Amino acid sequence: MTSFAPTRTALLLAGLALASPLAVGPASAWEPKGQGECIAPANPGGGWDITCRTASTVLQKTGGFKGSIYVTNMPGGSGAVAIANVVTKRKGDTNLIVSASNALTFTVALGRTPYTFKEVMPLAQVGAELGGFFVTADSKYKTLADVTAAMKADPKSVTFSGGSAPGGQDHMKVALFAKAIGVEPTKVVYVPFQGGGEALTSMLGGHTQIAALDISEASGQLEAGKIRGLAVLSDKRSTKFPDIPTATEQGAAVNYVIWRGYYMAPGVPKEAYDWWIETMKKMVASPEFAAEREKLGWEPTTRFGDEFAKYVNEEAAQYRVLLKELGFLK
């Protein structure tokens, strides 16, 4: 029988193969590569735009996202255009987040898009803010009582602007207020714009009298003294602007809180989705985000992942009932 002894070279090669770190090793944790993107489904200056730019700023400042995050403004249909684009063209995009709020819930509840929160991946609520009514510094309306009196005398004598489509989030602020003071909601004049920034510009230009906005959208002009807050639509005053009385204090029991958050495209792998959830949790816990939240007047209310998904889907069902009560759905 012929025997073959391994050569020194063969033994050395075998040893190298066994010792090589490339042969066996733990899988590295998933992280995004390249640029990130946040779609704001409205024009610059509105709440969705602010929500995107806040995440972009904080995640880059803290190193939560190693690359840059650019903002794409995609207005249309109070979120309908953006969600259609994400579902049909961005499936599985792990570097994309989209800003959202109750405004999209109303779009879904009204059936203005064939897509719902079940067709995307709700990611996180990172804050909440109060809605309210705002006027120019020299407006004839000094209090909400003045507006109530004018609307009761003639509902069409008061014009409101807002950054959402008819039946959407800002329109609901006006409709709920009208209902609370005994005025038929469908008789009130509401002028829609593609974002709160445009609605504010309309009011400042004298084209409309009252802007139905969120605190963050009004914050800059409030601090500059260009506008006044007639009321926040809550049973508690804003922590940032405590001098603005609530609608409830002024005889109109309207409690309307806006959530601020993000969703992702369908088909995103679990490891990427989980990475974004953890990244969002770290972001909202950072001093940098706390500073932005304080500046914007957001309240520290958060939800993540499955809890957030359950919340927005239940909210959509509740809004359908509300819209029927207010006459916007049959």
Side-chain angles (χ1 to χ4, degrees):
M1 176 183 288
T2 304
S3 63
F4 294 92
T7 65
R8 177 176 172 80
T9 302
L11 287 169
L12 285 170
L13 288 173
L16 283 171
L18 290 171
S20 172
L22 297 176
V24 179
S28 59
W30 186 91
E31 282 193 19
K33 297 177 181 177
Q35 277 190 317
E37 179 184 3
C38 185
I39 291 178
N43 286 328
W48 280 337
D49 182 67
I50 291 167
T51 305
C52 266
R53 295 186 192 281
T54 299
S56 174
T57 298
V58 175
L59 288 176
Q60 291 177 89
K61 190 181 290 185
T62 60
F65 192 96
K66 291 186 169 61
S68 60
I69 301 175
Y70 64 94
V71 175
T72 300
N73 292 95
M74 193 178 291
S78 290
V81 170
I83 196 171
N85 177 277
V86 170
V87 172
T88 61
K89 298 180 179 179
R90 305 296 294 272
K91 185 176 181 180
D93 193 330
T94 58
N95 282 25
L96 174 69
I97 58 174
V98 188
S99 62
S101 69
N102 315 51
L104 180 58
T105 313
F106 276 115
T107 299
V108 168
L110 284 161
R112 288 178 172 159
T113 170
Y115 307 108
T116 71
F117 287 112
K118 293 179 181 178
E119 278 74 55
V120 294
M121 300 177 72
L123 178 64
Q125 175 186 347
V126 297
E129 66 175 308
L130 306 181
F133 296 140
F134 304 88
V135 294
T136 56
D138 60 354
S139 171
K140 66 180 180 180
Y141 299 119
K142 304 303 179 187
T143 67
L144 195 63
D146 295 337
V147 181
T148 299
M151 288 176 65
K152 284 187 173 182
D154 179 7
K156 297 187 182 300
S157 68
V158 183
T159 55
F160 291 84
S161 64
S164 65
Q169 176 173 288
D170 290 341
H171 196 183
M172 281 301 101
K173 296 169 186 168
V174 180
L176 289 168
F177 169 61
K179 183 182 180 184
I181 63 172
V183 172
E184 172 56 47
T186 56
K187 292 183 179 179
V188 180
V189 179
Y190 172 79
V191 183
F193 291 91
Q194 295 287 356
E198 289 186 4
L200 181 58
T201 299
S202 168
M203 191 263 290
L204 286 169
H207 305 293
T208 48
Q209 297 168 303
I210 302 172
L213 303 170
D214 306 331
I215 286 287
S216 64
E217 296 169 325
S219 183
Q221 297 294 348
L222 280 171
E223 291 174 336
K226 299 288 182 68
I227 65 174
R228 291 184 289 109
L230 289 179
V232 290
L233 305 181
S234 172
D235 51 8
K236 293 181 180 179
R237 293 195 179 198
S238 163
T239 53
K240 183 173 177 63
F241 297 104
D243 291 340
I244 302 176
T246 69
T248 302
E249 289 173 43
Q250 300 178 80
V254 182
N255 188 17
Y256 191 93
V257 179
I258 299 97
W259 56 263
R260 293 288 175 197
Y262 310 90
Y263 66 85
M264 296 189 74
V268 169
K270 184 179 185 303
E271 60 267 27
Y273 181 65
D274 290 345
W275 182 92
W276 275 102
I277 288 175
E278 291 307 310
T279 297
M280 286 289 166
K281 287 180 178 178
K282 291 174 185 175
M283 181 185 81
V284 299
S286 70
E288 289 84 356
F289 184 80
E292 290 295 318
R293 185 175 59 212
E294 171 90 16
K295 183 171 71 177
L296 294 169
W298 289 359
E299 308 298 329
T301 305
T302 58
R303 295 179 176 89
F304 303 96
D306 291 343
E307 180 192 5
F308 181 50
K310 182 174 183 288
Y311 176 79
V312 293
N313 281 300
E314 289 178 351
E315 181 183 66
Q318 293 164 1
Y319 280 9
R320 288 187 191 97
V321 175
L322 173 63
L323 287 161
K324 285 179 181 178
E325 289 178 358
L326 294 173
F328 292 102
L329 272 181
K330 294 181 179 179

